[in-house]
Amino acid sequence: DRTQHRLIVGMVMILVIGIPLVGALYFLDQFRDPGPAMADRAVMSAEDAVQKSPNAITPRFTLAELYAAKGRYADAIVQYEEILKVQPDTAAVLLGRGRALMAMGELDAAAADFQTVIDGAVDKEMAGYDQQLEGAYYSLGAVTLKQGDPKRASEHLASAVLINRTDADALFLLGRDAAELAAAV
């Protein structure tokens, strides 16, 4: 009888201690702090690369693009401007800064960046196939549409469509322009 009583007490103790212990081990195994998100780790890595090589353009451009993707437009613009001090007419950098300025609502400054890209590429040999030129036309069309000038916007968007006939975004805005022009008449 005494052995049976000890066995029952032992089993109860195992259950009382064992179940919470298993629960705690499961919790510790399953719920670990994942750390920063992948995009945040990419930003931190790019920031480290810029700190290690502040005069290198590629890490700075990567950092600017990551900042823009995260919605940190002011930080992106700072990085784009550092690159433009060294290479003032780099189309990819001007497009990036223009998009960031556009996202911040600075439409005139954005339009100036897009126009600079257009002016630098429109007379080149491969202008009819230049995706950066097409992007500049599209972005300038979007800006002028936001500024309330659908006629000029449709000219820019039509130029974008001439370069890339399958640009659904440009075709959509071009159709929206046509509707606004028709409503204005």
Side-chain angles (χ1 to χ4, degrees):
D1 189 35
R2 194 170 189 183
T3 309
Q4 194 177 25
H5 180 66
R6 284 185 182 173
L7 186 61
I8 291 172
V9 170
M11 293 299 272
V12 169
M13 292 301 284
I14 289 174
L15 289 174
V16 167
I17 294 171
I19 290 175
L21 183 61
V22 168
L25 290 174
Y26 176 78
F27 178 80
L28 291 174
D29 183 53
Q30 296 297 316
F31 299 104
R32 293 188 183 151
D33 180 26
M38 191 180 294
D40 293 332
R41 285 184 288 201
V43 168
M44 289 187 305
S45 175
E47 288 172 339
D48 288 343
V50 168
Q51 285 179 352
K52 289 178 185 172
S53 302
N55 295 328
I57 292 173
T58 303
R60 197 170 286 279
F61 181 74
T62 301
L63 180 59
E65 292 288 300
L66 288 169
Y67 279 157
K70 294 280 295 172
R72 294 174 56 182
Y73 301 115
D75 294 331
I77 290 169
V78 168
Q79 297 303 316
Y80 288 129
E81 288 176 352
E82 287 298 316
I83 297 169
L84 290 171
K85 288 177 185 176
V86 178
Q87 295 180 345
D89 292 329
T90 305
V93 177
L94 288 168
L95 286 171
R97 184 175 72 174
R99 285 190 300 266
L101 288 166
M102 190 169 133
M104 292 178 63
E106 297 180 29
L107 300 179
D108 292 333
D113 281 350
F114 299 137
Q115 189 63 54
T116 301
V117 172
I118 292 169
D119 293 342
V122 74
D123 293 328
K124 291 190 176 175
E125 182 178 347
M126 298 300 287
Y129 303 98
D130 188 348
Q131 294 302 306
Q132 289 181 333
L133 178 60
E134 188 268 336
Y137 275 128
Y138 168 77
S139 297
L140 187 56
V143 166
T144 53
L145 185 61
K146 283 184 179 183
Q147 289 174 327
D149 190 353
K151 183 173 177 164
R152 270 192 38 232
S154 62
E155 293 170 3
H156 298 304
L157 293 167
S159 295
V161 170
L162 285 175
I163 295 171
N164 182 0
R165 293 174 188 1
T166 61
D167 185 349
D169 294 328
L171 290 168
F172 172 75
L173 286 182
L174 198 53
R176 204 165 103 193
D177 271 355
E180 286 187 27
L181 283 172
V185 174

